């Protein structure tokens, strides 16, 4: 199950991410028989499909661009372990109406053709790249980078720099992000309740919540909590198993984890509701395909 948490208030926590979106890394300096550890750089030229979020009646449709990799990470052909530095540039338009958070592609499944129902390319052709659910009156979306939101509603374009990893990633310390002045929205409570057994209504994963309000998720960065945001990925060994020579390998069941700092945006209502500047974190289940 995927999970996306953004900002210190908890209003944009526990969202599920899309199913079907593709992220590409370019591999080098490894082979099928002698050296399984590849250099890896992000090389996804096409924007990811729009990602719809809605909190307290304020809908946002993020368009994430993967900046070309300048930092090198690693990918292990034998174990499936990945460490990939990436910077996602998030275009942030505030959308209306609430029932149409992101433009939809009218195709009936991932990979099918359709037309954009709204946005910058309304009425033009598209191919469904992913599907997602966004809380609201019409929750199911088929989305495509062919159908970006209306650029006139853009309020900011901000970077999310992180390392996506199949291992453990952490961010420690009170007010861990530049400009952050508040750790959480727990008020007189503490961010200390394990609420992982509570079902998240937004499709993501509950993790830590406020002691005085278990319905409010939070990042435990304050001194009276654990003081650390922690996320754990999962590595899965690709098949055919290295060092068997193969034109391609695949692995299912892997999970990428990432933690980042988000700056504020020019729209004060977004900053107040989401808690910006502040941390963000994600868990992204992935199926890996490796091609020679």
């Amino acid at each position: 199950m995927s999970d996306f948490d953004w900002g210190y208030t908890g209003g944009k926590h526990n969202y599920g991410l899309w199913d079907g979106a593709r992220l590409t890394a370019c591999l080098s300096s490894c082979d099928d028989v002698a050296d399984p550890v590849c250099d890896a750089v992000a090389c996804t030229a096409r924007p990811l499909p729009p990602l719809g979020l809605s909190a307290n009646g304020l809908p946002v449709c993020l368009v994430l661009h993967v900046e070309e990799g300048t930092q090198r990470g690693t990918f292990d052909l034998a174990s499936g372990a990945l460490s990939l530095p990436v910077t996602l540039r998030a275009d942030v338009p505030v959308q209306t109406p609430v029932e149409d958070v992101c433009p939809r592609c009218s195709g009936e499944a991932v990979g099918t053709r359709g037309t954009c129902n709204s946005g910058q390319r309304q009425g033009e052709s598209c191919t469904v790249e992913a599907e997602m659910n966004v809380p609201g009156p019409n929750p199911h979306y088929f989305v495509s980078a062919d159908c970006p939101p209306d650029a006139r509603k853009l309020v900011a374009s901000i970077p999310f720099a992180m390392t996506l990893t199949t291992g453990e990633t952490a961010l420690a310390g009170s007010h861990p992000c530049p400009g952050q002045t508040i750790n959480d929205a727990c008020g007189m409570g503490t961010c200390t309740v394990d609420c992982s057994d509570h079902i998240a209504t937004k499709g993501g994963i509950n993790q830590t919540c406020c002691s005085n309000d278990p319905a409010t998720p939070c990042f435990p960065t304050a001194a009276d909590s654990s003081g650390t945001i922690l996320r754990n990925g999962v590595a899965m060994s690709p098949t055919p198993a290295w060092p068997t020579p193969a034109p391609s390998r695949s692995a299912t069941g892997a999970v990428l984890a990432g933690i980042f700092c988000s700056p504020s945006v020019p729209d004060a209502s977004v900053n107040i509701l989401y808690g910006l500047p502040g941390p963000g974190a994600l868990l992204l289940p992935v199926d890996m395909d490796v091609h020679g």
Side-chain angles (χ1 to χ4, degrees):
M1 182 180 291
S2 63
D3 183 63
F4 182 70
D5 306 318
W6 185 26
Y8 64 75
T9 65
K12 270 291 185 287
H13 285 215
N14 303 342
Y15 277 89
L17 296 167
W18 355 240
D19 292 326
R22 298 182 65 86
L23 177 69
T24 304
C26 294
L27 308 179
S28 61
S29 303
C30 53
D31 58 59
D32 280 342
V33 294
D35 183 5
V37 181
C38 311
D39 289 339
V41 295
C43 57
T44 305
R46 182 175 170 82
L48 298 177
L51 177 63
L53 308 172
S54 184
N56 298 328
L58 182 64
V60 168
C61 184
L62 297 183
V63 179
L64 299 173
H65 306 262
V66 184
E67 296 188 357
E68 291 299 309
T70 55
Q71 292 181 282
R72 291 184 178 274
T74 59
F75 177 71
D76 192 316
L77 293 170
S79 68
L82 174 69
S83 178
L84 182 67
V86 297
T87 296
L88 303 178
R89 190 183 81 251
D91 291 343
V92 187
V94 174
Q95 293 295 106
T96 52
V98 174
E99 64 267 20
D100 195 17
V101 175
C102 285
R104 307 171 198 251
C105 182
S106 66
E108 298 180 351
V110 173
T112 62
R113 299 286 294 171
T115 57
C116 302
N117 78 325
S118 63
Q120 198 72 22
R121 299 184 69 251
Q122 183 174 2
E124 298 188 43
S125 63
C126 56
T127 300
V128 175
E129 295 178 286
E131 58 181 312
M132 64 182 180
N133 286 297
V134 182
N138 298 304
H140 187 255
Y141 287 71
F142 286 122
V143 290
S144 170
D146 295 331
C147 301
D150 190 338
R152 292 172 298 180
K153 298 179 180 180
L154 184 70
V155 297
S157 185
I158 57 179
F160 298 158
M162 72 190 86
T163 295
L164 293 173
T165 178
T166 53
E168 180 181 283
T169 184
L171 181 64
S174 181
H175 308 145
C177 292
Q180 183 180 352
T181 59
I182 301 172
N183 280 300
D184 54 54
C186 296
M188 298 301 293
T190 59
C191 185
T192 52
V193 174
D194 180 356
C195 52
S196 57
D197 60 343
H198 298 178
I199 296 174
T201 59
K202 301 171 187 174
I205 303 170
N206 264 312
Q207 298 182 67
T208 309
C209 297
C210 296
S211 62
N212 56 345
D213 183 6
T216 298
C218 51
F219 285 127
T221 56
D224 56 8
S225 61
S226 71
T228 303
I229 304 169
L230 184 66
R231 296 291 185 269
N232 288 289
V234 177
M236 299 296 292
S237 298
T239 56
W242 187 91
T244 305
S248 63
R249 304 178 194 275
S250 61
T252 60
V255 178
L256 300 181
I259 298 175
F260 58 91
C261 283
S262 173
S264 60
V265 303
D267 190 318
S269 60
V270 174
N271 296 330
I272 292 169
L273 285 174
Y274 298 176
L276 304 178
L282 62 83
L283 292 171
L284 183 62
V286 292
D287 294 333
M288 293 183 175
D289 293 308
V290 183
H291 301 282

